[in-house]
Amino acid sequence: MEPHIGRITRMDIRGRIATGRLPKGVLFDYGGTLVDEVRYDPDAGLDAVLAHATSPIVGERLRLVRARAARVAREVAGRREEHHVETPWVSMARLIHDAFGTSFRQPWAALELIFWNAAVTTEPAPGVREALDACRAAGITIAVLSNSSFGAPVITHELAKHGLDRFFAFVMVTADYAVRKPNPLVVD
């Protein structure tokens, strides 16, 4: 049986529970399904990362770093949908910072979370807790599969901020697999 990637609504879950036609598991998308993005400010994220550089990035060098960050966003991140290829945040950050020889006091995984915490604000989607509680009560295994350039630890961290991480058997993001949904390679 081929896996189905799609949106299951709270009504679908309630209806399936009521009729006893339960799926073995449900993969939830992250953004727009489990959480809604309230704010995305990549400049704030970049500033937070640069605060961990081994030497200050100021003046003309800062302007050039910002320009390169905009170019990487446009030429790499901006083409994710077109090519169905996911580029991890760390790879994009290295495209920006390695060009200037910038070194950091933190490892890349820590910088990814620093960027996220400064740049992204989310809130739980309306009704999501009820839907997740209904799945849990019905014994349905649930997990997250998200198109994201951020790694699974970052997405799990954000879910934990809202007390949602405890519901999921695993969190899987396309940054770890190179291809984006709906490419079936991500679930085969």
Side-chain angles (χ1 to χ4, degrees), residues 10-180:
R10 289 183 297 282
M11 293 304 293
D12 292 334
I13 293 168
R14 287 187 190 117
R16 288 173 185 253
I17 290 169
T19 63
R21 295 183 359 230
L22 300 176
K24 291 181 181 178
V26 175
L27 291 174
F28 282 87
D29 190 20
Y30 167 75
T33 302
L34 297 172
V35 300
D36 292 327
E37 192 172 276
V38 176
R39 178 186 69 92
Y40 179 66
D41 183 351
D43 290 333
L46 179 61
D47 290 342
V49 167
L50 290 175
H52 294 272
T54 55
S55 60
I57 311 297
V58 296
E60 179 63 10
R61 187 169 176 207
L62 178 59
R63 187 192 69 72
L64 292 171
V65 168
R66 289 192 188 288
R68 180 140 177 115
R71 180 180 174 200
V72 168
R74 185 177 60 255
E75 293 182 20
V76 179
R79 293 185 175 169
R80 296 169 20 188
E81 305 265 342
E82 177 186 350
H83 299 290
H84 297 283
V85 173
E86 193 69 74
T87 305
W89 180 89
V90 168
S91 296
M92 289 188 284
R94 292 196 64 184
L95 278 173
I96 297 164
H97 301 293
D98 287 0
F100 298 98
T102 306
S103 58
F104 295 94
R105 293 184 297 274
Q106 300 287 332
W108 285 109
L111 292 171
E112 181 179 20
L113 189 57
I114 288 166
F115 178 94
W116 178 273
N117 283 332
V120 179
T121 304
T122 68
E123 60 186 23
V128 73
R129 288 187 208 292
E130 295 82 4
L132 298 176
D133 280 332
C135 286
R136 176 184 276 173
I140 300 169
T141 300
I142 58 177
V144 176
L145 173 57
S146 182
N147 283 338
S148 176
S149 59
F150 294 93
V154 172
I155 301 305
T156 301
H157 165 82
E158 190 66 21
L159 290 168
K161 284 184 187 177
H162 304 298
L164 300 176
D165 61 317
R166 63 189 170 88
F167 288 100
F168 301 104
F170 61 87
V171 173
M172 182 176 166
V173 297
T174 54
D176 296 333
Y177 296 90
V179 295
R180 294 173 55 82

